Amino acid sequence: MTNRVFTSWVRRGAAAAIIEPDPASGGWRGPATFQPSVKVKKDGGPPIEITGPPSLPLLGAGAVSGLIPKAVLRTDPRDGATGVEDNYLVQVEFSRPDLPWIFTPAKPNSKNRLRPWLVLIVVDAAIVQLQPGSPLPRISVRNAALPDLDDSWGWAHAQATVESDANAPAKVIADKAALALGPASGTSAVSRLLCPMRLLANKTYMACIVPATLPGVKAGLGEEQPGPGVEIAQAWTVGGPDVVLPVYYSWRFSTGADGDFRSLVQRLRGVRATEISGFGARTVDISSPWQQGEQLPPGSTVDLGGALATGAEHPLSDEAQEAFEPRLTKLLNSPADQQPEDVVGDPALSAVAPPIYAGRHAGAKRVPPTGWLRTLNVDPRRRIAAAFGTQYVQENQEFLMAEAWNQLGAVQDANRLQALAELAAEVGDRMHQRHIAGLDFSRLISVAVPARTRVLIAQPAGPALTLHATVAATLIPAGAATVAFSRFTRFQGPIGKRTFQKAPAILETALRGNLKIGPVLQDGIATLQPLTAPAVTDPTAGMVARALQTVATMEKAVPIPTTASLQILLKATNTKVGFVQGKPAVKFAMPGVRPQLALAAKPANPDAMVLGLTLTLAASLLPSRGIFRRFQGRVQIPDRLGAGKATRVMACPQFTAPLAMAVKDAHRDWLVPGLGNFPDDRVTVLRSEGAFVESFLAGANHEMNREFLWRGYPTDQRGTPFRFFWPRPDRTPDIPPMTSWPLATALGKNGTKGGKDVENMAVLLVRGELIHRYPRSIVYLAKGIRNDQKITLDLNESAWLAPDFSLRLDDRTTAFAYNVGVDEIRTNAANPAGRFFVFSEPVTGPRFNFELATTLDQLNLWTDLDWPRVPQQRGFAFAGGSIPLPKPAFNAQGASWNKDAADIARIAFARPFRVAYHADELLPVAGV
């Protein structure tokens, strides 16, 4: 919870030790002095305070020759403001909490009052002019236009903003405020000067920060300072002569004639939009839409509305519709009729016809008999709205294309890399078809084994496995699918040449289950035997090592007829080879290694298995697969752009700026036709026209895609770059991608929130001085509560409905849109309590004011205090005086007039107003 704490003064450093109290009136004894002291500890004992000389002087306002601009945080009113409320107090905020009192030659007196060394005055800019000077500019002011400096203590205060729990004790809040106001304070603490002058209406003023002491005046004017020991006089006294004052800081503003927020809201009156002549629609003559031939009946017109509709319906007459739609439909369909889809089109044949808006998005070359596409293209109101969207794109094509190219980013590079990938993939696949696809299984394995852990082979069920894992699941000995085995068995290798064998089918033989390692004999001798019947390998048999697997497999596939050949094999494999019972046998030279058991059944259909595995492996070796995987690893393409092997990356930029903001200045009638005819200080309820919005966006998207095609932008003309029309703070698009619109849906029903907020969203139009003076005003929609035939406002603010968006149409008009239907606002059978419009004053920085004249007999709250009750002197509010202002009857907040500056700040602090009106009060009884 945020707490705003006011304090009457802040002193820091040496100024906090000034000895002399503020005398409350007249001048000060000078110069200001302080008594330095220091506390020391000895041997861990209690601190001892040592006081120095009693009177060391401090610098005063006479040493100040200027104020740095950054010391000023904020002014209210701001510089150049117009139409300022005349019941508010002018103020200036400083970044240092102690700045107004840093050079005051006194300490606070017994009443907790301390006058600042500089004050804020407001003068008539038509009479007083700022003159150049050195070191500061200056003004000449009549004494009657200046406040009483004896009362300046009440119009300077400091403020600390602290965070605390809602139920935090007052002491905790006070301690946090004291810390914030201390030497280590940050931006949460400020100081402030108020000018107690009551402003007049329709005048231009100049606010000036000037010194409050005579030494400060002389220093600012560059004059000689008074001698030492002279009393520090005030810059002026009431009833004294006119003065020339240096100005530390100044700004200008002007007041209006219409009072404050509450008075401006009270001036508003409701009006029914359909009763305002020339508002809400424009009449368009469509009696002669063709250059030649039969025209529509004379006087055929259509009332063209905008994005905000009054609710009045002016459809095309049946007679005009019967004459208009068939001919336009035939004209739009003429290109497709000349080149039917079921025959090959003549490339020399072309047709020029009006466009079918959004035809590419809908995939239609002809106007359908029903649905949104037909309404968009043959209803003159909607076709004109689509033409407005087209016109917007044409008027802003250079800007829009520049933004589109900026969003394109690396799409062109991606297309270039994709083209290279496609070329490499095509060449690689052709080479694969010529040299790889025709190989048998054994040769395929020999080609693929260098990448056996990277080549993925699709499986009949489950995820793809590597070649290594696939071979391990078959009867093929694991060592046979290795680079070494491929080297031994290749046709032109050392063994292949010496054995004079053709391309061996070693692995196919093993894959079919026709090889078996025989039982291991004594001394590690093993034999390889052919299988004569389906059987499993002997449990005692196995592959005891890679060399054994290699030689044993070769023994079957490559017969060794002679002893000389055996010696060649022996040298090649470093393995002892002998004969057992007349058959070649191998003695493994690695004793102690147990065989790995391999139990596998002979395949039921070995030929089909070999063929299937061969084709799968060949497909896995297609170069295009790896090339496109590598391309996808290098180029990340968003889903909305999409890409495939045979298509380019298609970019669809997104223009997220709401089009309503883009067109309201150049083409305001597209939003609200005839807005200039709407009377001042009036309100009415409109509704958003979903059909117009969708038509406008459809036309804009259609034309933008045509522009993309013309400019060579990568597009398939089906993107939806414009999806935002209304300026919603939540950035919700108004329409989904147009390719997702069902053809059977009616126009105006394709909104992203189900269509309700697009077609029938209630919009409060407010026009008048209220918007001009308070452009950031917010109007909430609150429910009413009916009790005993009386309707009251639901005070539960959490249930109030904030505008879905607000649209500033001009400097005096704003539209507030709510996500409710128009029928839900007025009192009716379904909504017996109706709704309230709650006009809320915009929250800015702290402001201070007194009410205009009220009719209250007594004060109920300090916020009811009006200027006639405020103690005044010469047109200035007077914080002092002999007669204190009586406290309000309720909620005085502990504040008292004529006490200290903190209480004056609490009393004058302006709370933002909220004024609630029932919809029935603002709108005509007859309805909207």
Side-chain angles (χ1 to χ4, degrees):
M1 178 178 176
T2 300
N3 293 276
R4 185 180 290 107
V5 181
F6 295 114
T7 184
S8 298
W9 48 267
V10 173
R11 304 304 293 266
R12 293 177 178 176
I18 292 178
I19 299 173
E20 299 85 2
D22 192 332
S25 64
W28 298 267
R29 290 173 52 191
T33 60
F34 77 105
Q35 186 175 19
S37 64
V38 63
K39 292 183 179 180
V40 297
K41 286 185 177 182
K42 183 179 181 182
D43 299 331
I48 302 173
E49 184 173 0
I50 302 175
T51 302
S55 57
L56 292 180
L58 287 172
L59 290 177
V64 179
S65 60
L67 189 68
I68 59 174
K70 65 189 306 183
V72 176
L73 282 181
R74 184 177 73 99
T75 65
D76 184 50
R78 59 179 175 80
D79 187 18
T82 59
V84 175
E85 306 94 324
D86 55 5
N87 62 319
Y88 275 74
L89 301 179
V90 182
Q91 62 165 307
V92 60
E93 283 183 5
F94 299 115
S95 56
R96 282 193 58 144
D98 64 333
L99 192 146
W101 308 276
I102 192 171
F103 295 118
T104 298
K107 69 177 183 179
N109 57 28
S110 59
K111 292 184 177 182
N112 198 36
R113 298 174 179 178
L114 182 63
R115 290 176 291 173
W117 65 275
L118 74 175
V119 294
L120 177 64
I121 64 172
V122 176
V123 296
D124 189 342
I127 300 175
V128 180
Q129 301 295 324
L130 191 65
Q131 301 295 331
S134 179
L136 293 173
R138 59 203 64 191
I139 56 174
S140 298
V141 190
R142 295 183 297 107
N143 184 272
L146 297 171
D148 190 343
L149 288 177
D150 288 343
D151 199 51
S152 61
W153 59 266
W155 309 106
H157 63 265
Q159 173 192 307
T161 304
V162 297
E163 299 290 334
S164 67
D165 296 335
N167 300 320
K171 186 177 184 306
V172 173
I173 298 175
D175 291 343
K176 289 186 176 183
L179 183 63
L181 293 167
S185 68
T187 57
S188 62
V190 297
S191 55
R192 187 178 292 114
L193 294 178
L194 304 178
C195 178
M197 177 181 176
R198 179 173 183 180
L199 304 177
L200 300 178
N202 293 322
K203 290 186 71 68
T204 300
Y205 289 101
M206 179 170 59
C208 304
I209 303 175
V210 298
T213 67
L214 184 60
V217 172
K218 291 187 174 296
L221 297 178
E223 298 177 357
E224 185 178 353
Q225 292 289 335
V230 177
E231 181 186 68
I232 299 176
Q234 293 177 324
W236 67 84
T237 58
V238 174
D242 298 342
V243 294
V244 177
L245 299 173
V247 177
Y248 295 129
Y249 188 89
S250 66
W251 73 97
R252 297 167 65 93
F253 64 91
S254 61
T255 57
D258 299 301
D260 57 3
F261 181 86
R262 181 163 63 180
S263 64
L264 293 178
V265 173
Q266 291 172 341
R267 290 172 50 177
L268 297 176
R269 296 292 182 270
V271 62
R272 190 161 54 164
T274 55
E275 296 180 350
I276 303 173
S277 176
F279 174 72
R282 288 178 293 172
T283 301
V284 179
D285 188 344
I286 60 170
S287 58
S288 301
W290 327 111
Q291 291 186 352
Q292 57 184 358
E294 184 180 355
Q295 305 295 334
L296 271 63
S300 296
T301 62
V302 62
D303 287 340
L304 181 65
L308 297 178
T310 62
E313 294 292 341
H314 301 282
L316 197 65
S317 66
D318 293 340
E319 183 181 5
Q321 188 172 354
E322 291 176 359
F324 184 82
E325 289 192 10
R327 182 168 180 178
L328 180 57
T329 302
K330 181 179 180 180
L331 183 60
L332 296 176
N333 292 341
S334 59
D337 292 338
Q338 295 185 54
Q339 288 190 336
E341 296 180 0
D342 55 348
V343 298
V344 178
D346 183 356
L349 184 64
S350 61
V352 178
I356 299 178
Y357 289 116
R360 293 278 301 191
H361 296 89
K365 295 183 178 180
R366 292 180 174 85
V367 177
T370 59
W372 65 267
L373 188 62
R374 179 172 185 83
T375 305
L376 172 66
N377 284 280
V378 302
D379 187 325
R381 298 171 301 169
R382 307 312 172 206
R383 190 168 182 86
I384 292 174
F388 287 162
T390 298
Q391 181 180 343
Y392 166 77
V393 172
Q394 293 171 347
E395 291 175 348
N396 300 275
Q397 56 183 304
E398 298 301 331
F399 168 76
L400 293 173
M401 284 306 306
E403 289 296 313
W405 287 117
N406 288 338
Q407 292 187 34
L408 185 61
V411 168
Q412 288 179 305
D413 291 339
N415 281 328
R416 180 181 59 82
L417 290 176
Q418 182 167 333
L420 293 176
E422 291 172 359
L423 175 63
E426 185 67 22
V427 173
D429 286 354
R430 292 294 181 92
M431 298 294 291
H432 175 276
Q433 183 178 6
R434 177 178 299 180
H435 300 289
I436 302 296
L439 297 178
D440 59 29
F441 180 74
S442 295
R443 291 187 179 276
L444 274 178
I445 289 288
S446 66
V447 171
V449 289
R452 61 187 180 278
T453 60
R454 300 191 301 273
V455 175
L456 293 176
I457 299 179
Q459 304 298 316
L465 299 177
T466 63
L467 175 60
H468 181 80
T470 303
V471 170
T474 67
L475 295 177
I476 299 175
T482 62
V483 176
F485 183 75
S486 299
R487 184 181 301 115
F488 289 147
T489 59
R490 68 185 185 273
F491 180 67
Q492 295 297 328
I495 296 177
K497 288 181 178 180
R498 287 169 173 79
T499 56
F500 305 101
Q501 298 297 315
K502 295 183 179 181
I506 301 172
L507 299 183
E508 289 187 25
T509 303
L511 187 64
R512 286 182 168 86
N514 292 331
L515 291 181
K516 174 184 177 183
I517 298 177
V520 180
L521 305 180
Q522 59 182 358
D523 297 328
I525 300 299
T527 60
L528 193 69
Q529 302 173 358
L531 284 174
T532 58
V536 298
T537 57
D538 191 297
T540 62
M543 298 172 289
V544 296
R546 179 173 298 175
L548 176 62
Q549 298 165 7
T550 302
V551 175
T553 306
M554 289 175 60
E555 185 270 342
K556 175 63 180 177
V558 186
I560 304 174
T562 65
T563 303
S565 298
L566 288 175
Q567 296 300 322
I568 295 172
L569 185 62
L570 171 66
K571 184 177 180 181
T573 61
N574 193 25
T575 305
K576 294 182 180 180
V577 181
F579 286 87
V580 175
Q581 297 179 357
K583 293 184 177 182
V586 179
K587 183 177 182 180
F588 184 53
M590 296 178 63
V593 179
R594 298 298 303 163
Q596 176 184 358
L597 299 179
L599 300 177
K602 185 175 181 179
N605 190 350
D607 292 336
M609 183 188 68
V610 172
L611 179 61
L613 189 57
T614 302
L615 295 177
T616 304
L617 177 58
S620 300
L621 295 176
L622 274 173
S624 58
R625 298 179 60 181
I627 290 173
F628 281 112
R629 279 199 302 268
R630 180 165 179 80
F631 168 74
Q632 293 167 359
R634 292 183 60 186
V635 180
Q636 300 297 322
I637 302 175
D639 294 339
R640 66 183 178 87
L641 299 183
K645 291 184 180 180
T647 60
R648 300 163 62 203
V649 180
M650 294 302 173
C652 177
Q654 293 296 307
F655 301 109
T656 58
L659 290 188
M661 301 296 293
V663 305
K664 72 180 183 67
D665 294 328
H667 303 285
R668 192 175 60 187
D669 278 356
W670 295 355
L671 299 177
V672 188
L675 182 62
N677 296 323
F678 193 78
D680 207 29
D681 292 325
R682 295 293 184 270
V683 299
T684 193
V685 172
L686 307 175
R687 64 176 179 85
S688 61
E689 182 61 75
F692 181 96
V693 171
E694 291 182 10
S695 300
F696 185 92
L697 292 177
N701 285 307
H702 178 91
E703 183 64 19
M704 195 71 241
N705 281 298
R706 285 164 47 88
E707 192 67 27
F708 288 156
L709 184 65
W710 172 254
R711 303 289 186 110
Y713 195 90
T715 180
D716 59 359
Q717 299 188 72
R718 300 179 73 243
T720 310
F722 297 105
R723 297 179 58 195
F724 299 84
F725 188 83
W726 298 118
R728 305 177 192 272
D730 61 0
R731 309 296 297 163
T732 301
D734 291 284
I735 60 171
M738 293 183 61
T739 52
S740 67
W741 292 11
L743 281 177
T745 305
L747 192 65
K749 298 292 187 179
N750 296 292
T752 54
K753 294 183 179 179
K756 175 181 177 181
D757 63 330
V758 175
E759 184 183 20
N760 197 27
M761 184 168 50
V763 179
L764 181 70
L765 187 69
V766 183
R767 182 178 179 86
E769 185 64 19
L770 174 71
I771 300 301
H772 181 252
R773 293 267 296 278
Y774 299 91
R776 295 174 55 207
S777 298
I778 299 178
V779 184
Y780 294 94
L781 192 62
K783 291 184 178 180
I785 300 176
R786 181 176 289 275
N787 293 316
D788 299 329
Q789 303 302 316
K790 181 180 180 181
I791 299 177
T792 59
L793 172 67
D794 183 359
L795 296 179
N796 181 16
E797 296 183 15
S798 62
W800 293 4
L801 188 64
D804 206 39
F805 64 86
S806 60
L807 182 60
R808 186 84 182 275
L809 298 175
D810 58 35
D811 62 348
R812 301 181 69 82
T813 312
T814 297
F816 300 92
Y818 308 91
N819 195 21
V820 299
V822 174
D823 295 337
E824 300 179 42
I825 294 178
R826 290 292 308 271
T827 302
N828 51 50
N831 187 24
R835 302 267 187 148
F836 282 85
F837 290 113
V838 182
F839 292 80
S840 181
E841 185 176 1
V843 178
T844 58
R847 305 185 73 195
F848 300 84
N849 77 332
F850 301 115
E851 280 297 298
L852 297 171
T854 65
T855 59
L856 296 175
D857 295 332
Q858 65 174 5
L859 297 180
N860 294 318
L861 302 169
W862 276 126
T863 54
D864 295 330
L865 180 60
D866 55 4
W867 274 103
R869 289 187 174 90
V870 173
Q872 298 183 47
Q873 183 185 87
R874 302 197 308 170
F876 294 90
F878 198 69
S882 58
I883 303 177
L885 190 67
K887 290 185 178 181
F890 307 101
N891 194 17
Q893 299 178 337
S896 300
W897 192 268
N898 194 10
K899 182 182 176 184
D900 57 26
D903 274 12
I904 296 296
R906 295 187 190 100
I907 293 171
F909 181 73
R911 277 78 175 173
F913 279 110
R914 281 177 173 170
V915 183
Y917 285 99
H918 197 276
D920 294 346
E921 297 180 62
L922 288 181
L923 302 176
V925 177
V928 178

